[in-house]
């Protein structure tokens, strides 16, 4: 895809990193043979460097308080799946310090964490990679997370809810409203210790720029400041929003960027219309840029890609139905599709979820971006 050929302004491409890929059976088809590799810094550093050298604009890192599972909300005790993740903040620190990737989008749970701690973590990452950090606040939709950390109970999603975003949003309505308050508290904390208060001149710290010790006005998440880490004013926030009122409202209210999840039932034009209408009705909307999320299975030909997906589904024992559009085909056809989306719909970017690493990740880096 020629990134500067269609519309004026940058069209940004990102790689969503997750274990050995996003397909549940990715481990069985991946060329990664030692499970320990997935938990080494070098594995993630290599992907950060590959993404940067291939011209990708950002990578994303996932968060999770409980182990992944094929059956949402229920531990499956599978031994042929990738289970467990490195802490995304630690992984991001490694990528920022050892690679030239332009941007790292870091997911961090907001349902069962403390806003002061998260504010300090993201500000610390920004000190390692100035201008290269984006925070993605993540609402916990899995009741197991509360059990894992001893937090307050959250609504229990039913299996039939998982692929119906409106059901998820209704059940988690209060959590999305809490998340908005949480993000506002984090932003308030960032303002209590602005990076500009530190000087390279005769005065080390401009004390008058450091905020008072107590924040008010955040009923759900009051937090004491100032923050222990200076925070730049340029820190950005991204939200992954499935097609429903509550996540769209959260994105419009607090995010600089939203990742929407198109599907056959909800194509990109209808998602854009819905999101823009909700943003119009949201007080103090932030002017959110719209990106699309796409899961991909790539091959030498369309038939090869379909055969790869069939083999993955056979290995998993069920048909993979991700929570966003699934593209199956060649890298050239994917690049053409993304170019069409850019021109027709005015998207600012796309995040690609590779079904298998390194197979699909390599094709994204080497063939989709040119």
């Amino acid at each position: 895809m020629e990134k500067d050929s269609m519309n004026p302004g940058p069209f940004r491409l990102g790689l969503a990193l997750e274990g050995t890929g996003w397909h549940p059976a990715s481990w069985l088809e991946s060329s990664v043979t030692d499970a320990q590799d997935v938990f080494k810094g070098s594995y993630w550093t290599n992907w950060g460097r590959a993404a940067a050298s291939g011209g990708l604009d950002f990578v994303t890192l996932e968060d999770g308080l409980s182990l992944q599972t094929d059956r949402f909300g229920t531990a499956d005790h599978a031994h042929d799946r990738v289970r467990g993740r490195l802490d995304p903040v630690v992984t991001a620190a490694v990528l920022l310090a050892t690679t030239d990737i332009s941007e790292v989008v870091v997911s961090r749970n907001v349902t069962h964490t403390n806003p002061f701690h998260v504010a300090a973590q993201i500000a610390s990452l920004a000190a390692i990679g100035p201008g290269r950090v984006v925070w993605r606040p993540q609402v916990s939709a899995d009741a197991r997370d509360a059990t894992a950390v001893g937090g307050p109970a959250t609504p229990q999603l039913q299996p039939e809810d998982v692929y119906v975003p409106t059901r998820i949003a209704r059940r988690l309505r209060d959590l999305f409203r809490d998340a908005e308050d949480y993000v506002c508290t984090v932003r308030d904390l960032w303002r209590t210790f602005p990076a500009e208060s530190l000087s390279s001149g005769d005065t080390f710290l401009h004390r008058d720029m450091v905020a008072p010790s107590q924040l008010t006005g955040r009923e759900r998440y009051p937090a004491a400041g100032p923050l222990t880490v200076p925070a730049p004013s340029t820190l950005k926030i991204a939200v992954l929003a499935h097609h429903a009122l509550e996540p769209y409202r959260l994105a419009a209210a607090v995010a600089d960027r939203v990742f929407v999840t198109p599907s056959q039932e909800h194509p990109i034009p209808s998602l854009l219309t819905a999101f823009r209408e909700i943003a119009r009705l949201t007080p103090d909307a932030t002017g959110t840029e719209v990106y699309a999320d796409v899961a991909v299975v790539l091959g030498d030909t369309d038939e090869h890609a379909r055969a790869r997906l069939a083999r993955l589904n056979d290995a998993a024992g069920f048909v993979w139905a991700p929570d966003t559009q699934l593209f199956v085909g060649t890298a050239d056809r994917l690049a053409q599709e993304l170019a069409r989306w850019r021109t027709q719909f005015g998207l600012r970017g796309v995040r690609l979820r590779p079904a298998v690493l390194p197979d699909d990740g390599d094709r994204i880096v080497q063939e989709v971006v040119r």
Side-chain angles (χ1 to χ4, degrees), residues 99-141:
T99 78
D100 294 327
I101 187 67
S102 297
E103 190 176 81
V104 179
V105 180
V106 188
S107 300
R108 205 45 155 178
N109 184 282
V110 299
T111 306
H112 300 294
T113 56
N114 182 288
F116 189 96
H117 297 159
V118 171
Q121 290 169 352
I122 303 303
S124 297
L125 290 178
I128 299 172
R132 300 166 60 201
V133 177
V134 175
W135 171 42
R136 179 167 82 84
Q138 183 183 68
V139 173
S140 175

Side-chain angles (χ1 to χ4, degrees), residues 297-310 327-334 336 363:
V297 179
L298 302 176
D300 297 330
T301 63
D302 288 348
E303 293 74 16
H304 179 221
R306 287 193 290 268
R308 288 190 60 229
L309 177 59
F327 176 91
V328 183
T330 65
D332 281 344
R333 195 160 66 80
L334 174 60
Q336 293 169 11
R363 288 182 183 272

Side-chain angles (χ1 to χ4, degrees), residues 34-85:
D34 188 345
Q36 295 184 59
D37 289 347
V38 182
F39 300 94
K40 293 179 179 177
S42 58
Y43 178 81
W44 301 91
T45 295
N46 289 341
W47 275 114
R49 289 173 177 165
S53 64
L56 287 162
D57 297 292
F58 62 94
V59 296
T60 67
L61 302 173
E62 303 304 306
D63 195 10
L65 300 179
S66 51
L67 290 178
Q68 303 96 312
T69 177
D70 289 348
R71 296 177 296 171
F72 186 85
T74 305
D76 56 18
H77 307 292
H79 297 287
D80 58 352
R81 306 282 200 266
V82 175
R83 295 292 182 259
R85 295 182 179 96

Side-chain angles (χ1 to χ4, degrees), residues 16 22 60-63 105-108 134-139 165 168 176 179 237-244 246-252 254-262 271 275 288-289 291-295 322-325 351 353:
W22 286 78
T60 67
L61 302 173
E62 303 304 306
D63 195 10
V105 180
V106 188
S107 300
R108 205 45 155 178
V134 175
W135 171 42
R136 179 167 82 84
Q138 183 183 68
V139 173
I168 295 175
F176 279 106
I237 292 173
V239 166
L240 174 65
H242 299 302
H243 183 57
E246 285 78 6
Y248 277 10
R249 188 187 180 286
L250 173 65
V254 304
D256 303 284
R257 179 185 313 172
V258 60
F259 297 109
V260 299
T261 54
L271 297 187
F275 178 74
T288 310
E289 296 179 345
Y291 289 55
D293 242 34
V294 186
D323 58 351
T324 193
Q325 179 168 331
R351 182 177 80 141
R353 304 185 196 174

Side-chain angles (χ1 to χ4, degrees), residues 9-52:
F11 183 80
R12 308 182 74 244
L13 295 178
L15 180 66
L17 296 176
E18 171 72 335
T20 56
W22 286 78
H23 194 287
S26 61
W27 167 255
L28 300 174
E29 294 292 323
S30 174
S31 60
V32 179
T33 57
D34 188 345
Q36 295 184 59
D37 289 347
V38 182
F39 300 94
K40 293 179 179 177
S42 58
Y43 178 81
W44 301 91
T45 295
N46 289 341
W47 275 114
R49 289 173 177 165

